[in-house]
Amino acid sequence: HVPFLVSEFGSCLDTELCAKEIHSLAKASDDLIIGWTYWQFKGGKEGIYGNNGLELQKSLALSRTYF
């Protein structure tokens, strides 16, 4: 077993490719039972909130159910 750590990730645009990247990393982390943090810089095009409000595709990919 090799230890795995994700401290933070992010910095992509609100596209389908970005959403797939987020989902992939979050799922792999969930499967390995490790924590992660999505990087957020308020404003700009790479955070969760853009100039027009919430970035929908990224937000949906980041929405996870924990049990």
Side-chain angles (χ1 to χ4, degrees):
H1 176 67
V2 176
F4 183 69
L5 171 67
V6 176
S7 60
E8 63 181 42
F9 69 101
S11 188
C12 61
L13 303 176
D14 193 37
T15 63
E16 185 176 339
L17 181 61
C18 174
K20 286 181 181 180
E21 177 183 313
I22 291 168
H23 180 72
S24 237
L25 194 139
K27 181 178 180 338
S29 297
D30 292 347
D31 290 347
L32 294 169
I33 312 172
I34 60 170
W36 52 268
T37 302
Y38 185 81
W39 180 84
Q40 165 62 40
F41 178 77
K42 185 150 176 120
K45 297 178 181 177
E46 298 172 346
I48 298 170
Y49 295 97
N51 295 333
N52 297 319
L54 189 64
E55 300 284 344
L56 186 59
Q57 291 186 81
K58 283 188 254 185
S59 298
L60 291 173
L62 289 164
S63 297
R64 324 268 317 145
T65 302
Y66 292 95
F67 51 93

